[in-house]
Amino acid sequence: MPNGTESESRKLLGRLRDTLAEEGAGQERLDRITTIIAESMATDVCSIYLFRDAETLELCATEGLNQEAVHQTRMRIGEGLVGRVARTSTPVNTPDAPSARGFRFMPETGEEIFSSFLGLPIQRLGDTLGVLVVQSKDARSYTEDEVYALEVVAMVLAEMTELGAFQGEGAAMSARHVQQALFRGGTAQEGAAEGHVYLHEPRVVITNPIADDPHVELRRLEDAMATLRGSVDEMLGAMGKNTDKEQVKVIEAYRMFANSRSWVKRMQENVGLGLSAEAAVEKEQSATRARMESVPDAYLRDRLHDLDDLSNRLLRLLTGQGRDTGAEMPDNPILVAKNIGPGELLDYGKKLKGIVLEEGSVGSHAAIVARAWAIPLVINAKRILTEALNGDHILVDGDQGIVHLRPEDAVAAAFRDKIAMQTQAQQRYTSIREKPATTLDGETIALHMNAGLMADLPSLVSSGAEGVGLFRTELQFLTRARVPRRSELASIYGSVMDAAKGKQVVFRTLDIGSDKVLPYMKATEEPNPAMGWRAIRVGLDKKGVMRMQLQALIRAANGRPLSVMFPFVAQFDEFRDARQHLLDELERERKLGHTLPVDVKIGAMLETPSLAFAPKQFFELADFISIGGNDLKQFFFAADRENERVRKRYDTLNVSFLTFLEQIVARCAETNTPVSFCGEDAGRPVEALCFTAIGLRTLSMRPASIGPVKSLLRRTDLAEAKQVIDAARLSGAQSVRAAVMDWLTGRAETS
């Protein structure tokens, strides 16, 4: 294809289609394809390398190199020019391969006589499956038309590889989506679960990448584009006058992309080269995703994401494959998704046994719901969507942040043993459910649970919790497309109190911002959202929302005791102002003749180090204080808890952090202000033991953690534990963890 004309490209794809339609094994097809490409491109060599594992490429077919090298020549990602293409997912085009950066001579291939080299990734939507290479003896640079035409061929090869057209012996040519695969991500919710994959958004499968008639494909593309533009116009037309301006801007940007002539032109050119309409869309989508990964600007990345989403809509129109494919939810479903919002996740209900996300964060909406449901959640499991299929056997290890897809029997058996041991432990905890968490030296610790959904409340009984130390009120805002009405909130809060049956429920006011952005609220670009406009800062600036929520809480109490806690307080004035807002609303409700709570307690979450050094008047004014461990720890160590590279670098039982907590406990003791510790660390038995040893007497955690924490506390002498902690501090140790673990192990061996 020296001239790279459209007709030549279509001829090549036509020959490939005929070859794929012929009977024959995968190796035969691959061999014929390399011959066809070499002839059409007028090159001396055409070779196809496929991945045999995540790091290794294997020469699987060639025309022009030594045949003995097939399935023998292998290279790692980044090794040689082929490995460079695989690592960067970008073409390498050079007239003098031996002098090119990264060149590696493979003597068994006989390629030393070839000068020019063109290598392109065989990839589908960012998933690189291999590398397509052409070489010539002449020192030539391949033209843009030739490179573009070969990119089209590489995409078709990716589609056919995905569909299993080249199956054969060996790992590199084994069937896709049947081998076991392991994914390492991050832990967002601990626990272990075995089940079957249920894809939140099943992938579009393209079965006809090569066009029979370009004119027909162009009409199909034009018809689908017209439908797409119509649906976007309908979305914009459905927006009322009161719709947030930012939402309107987003849909207008959507419409701009849908009417982009350059976008449509590129897809039309792909069809002209011989691709079907859907394959033409997917080729352009792959290019968009490649650009998304390389663009540093967040705004531009969002716009490219809009284009990627439009491509998905267009593909579903062309293939008829909607989001709802009709696939039944399998037994023990494990949800697998790129990311997911709280509303969508709640729609699945408690049927899910676990969740795996390609993206996500430990403080995301999905993580909040997963903790409420006590099901394991693994985040940042990169590339799992390219490998997982509906119904695949899957194991989720939330403790280690590991996912086993289609595991071997031995792996599955070991995993089931782990689940069985956890189940047995939970059964043991049931026997002490009604007993107090009283230590061997007579100290009784109050264990409360965290909640955020009505579905959490039955755990008050099953877990043995003494109350709800934290009820997150933001979920009722996050799962709606508009601000909830005061009457709706009052009804929900009242139902929560009803379900608690007289046990204390501490309601945390709206904690939004950072990673929790309301869909109907104008997003603000901040360099560091975790330390930006969030929680109490939003409440004090948006007084109408705070006032409405406080009124709902007062009316929900309906004569019962009410406990309200303000989040992310950084200084005394913020608490004083927020507290006064609540007192003002109580006075207004009294004047309106509404029933007031019989008792009101107003507290604050201590999540910033600054608040620990607030004036004494703050501790005197607060009815209670809850140490928000998750945020406090990240600010204390200056380690973002969303950053996997640093969040596990610092130990909760670090001497500095424990000493800081001890100082907070001492300040609260001076003013007789009740203080508790709330967060993930409160639910870890060893951490809980250390917190209580330094003076904390109330802990709030997820319901499933209450049994393990209570079990250890009932078998421990806190005075002895305090001596161990103090000795470790005096020794100069950075953390007391090792000393405490040695002490616990020694006690277990002698008991």
Side-chain angles (χ1 to χ4, degrees), residues 17 155-156 159-160 163 205-212 217 220 274-280 318-319 321:
R17 180 188 58 214
M155 184 202 161
V156 172
E159 294 291 345
M160 304 318 295
L163 292 171
V205 178
I206 296 177
T207 57
N208 59 329
I210 303 171
D212 290 320
E217 296 305 310
R220 291 181 63 231
L275 292 179
S276 65
E278 43 268 75
L318 285 164
T319 61
Q321 299 171 33

Side-chain angles (χ1 to χ4, degrees), residues 59-71:
L59 176 62
C60 291
T62 186
E63 171 66 29
L65 298 184
N66 292 337
Q67 288 297 319
E68 292 78 9
V70 174
H71 298 305

Side-chain angles (χ1 to χ4, degrees), residues 74-319:
R74 295 169 186 170
M75 59 195 68
R76 308 280 287 178
I77 286 184
E79 183 180 8
L81 298 184
V82 173
R84 179 175 146 194
V85 172
R87 178 172 57 82
T88 62
S89 296
T90 54
V92 171
N93 183 4
T94 175
D96 186 7
S99 64
R101 176 174 57 86
F103 174 80
R104 181 194 167 196
F105 176 54
M106 309 292 284
E108 71 275 12
T109 65
E111 63 181 339
E112 65 274 9
I113 63 174
F114 305 108
S115 181
S116 67
F117 176 99
L118 172 59
L120 304 102
I122 299 171
Q123 60 181 354
R124 182 176 189 268
L125 296 180
D127 182 21
T128 302
L129 309 177
V131 176
L132 172 62
V133 175
V134 292
Q135 295 170 272
S136 294
K137 293 177 183 178
D138 299 335
R140 58 180 281 205
S141 285
Y142 295 89
T143 67
E144 287 186 12
D145 284 344
E146 288 174 318
V147 172
Y148 186 70
L150 209 56
E151 284 179 338
V152 173
V153 172
M155 184 202 161
V156 172
L157 291 177
E159 294 291 345
M160 304 318 295
T161 301
E162 178 79 5
L163 292 171
F166 308 127
Q167 290 182 29
E169 294 184 7
M173 295 182 64
S174 61
R176 289 178 60 78
H177 308 299
V178 295
Q179 296 175 314
Q180 65 168 342
L182 183 144
F183 300 87
R184 296 186 183 277
T187 295
Q189 174 55 39
E190 297 161 345
E194 177 179 11
H196 298 90
V197 169
Y198 190 71
L199 295 172
H200 174 56
E201 192 172 81
R203 288 176 300 161
V204 172
V205 178
I206 296 177
T207 57
N208 59 329
I210 303 171
D212 290 320
D213 184 338
H215 299 292
V216 171
E217 296 305 310
L218 283 172
R219 282 198 300 274
R220 291 181 63 231
L221 180 62
E222 289 167 3
D223 290 345
M225 283 300 306
T227 303
L228 178 68
R229 288 169 183 146
S231 66
V232 174
D233 288 341
E234 286 177 11
M235 290 167 63
L236 198 58
M239 292 184 166
K241 294 181 180 179
N242 297 324
T243 304
D244 184 87
K245 291 181 180 178
E246 200 65 24
Q247 283 182 270
V248 175
K249 285 182 180 178
V250 170
I251 302 303
E252 285 178 341
Y254 225 50
R255 183 166 66 174
M256 180 188 71
F257 278 124
N259 288 279
S260 168
R261 291 182 180 179
S262 59
W263 182 45
V264 176
K265 183 180 178 182
R266 288 193 296 270
M267 292 186 291
Q268 289 171 336
E269 288 173 350
N270 292 336
V271 171
L273 285 168
L275 292 179
S276 65
E278 43 268 75
V281 173
E282 191 174 272
K283 184 179 184 303
E284 179 57 26
Q285 187 180 19
S286 290
T288 299
R289 289 194 177 179
R291 292 198 296 273
M292 283 170 65
E293 293 180 1
S294 61
V295 171
D297 184 82
Y299 177 80
L300 288 178
R301 276 202 312 273
D302 285 343
R303 298 291 71 78
L304 286 171
H305 181 78
D306 291 342
L307 191 55
D308 186 53
D309 189 50
L310 279 172
S311 298
N312 279 331
R313 289 171 179 262
L314 193 54
L315 281 171
R316 294 186 189 285
L317 286 170
L318 285 164
T319 61

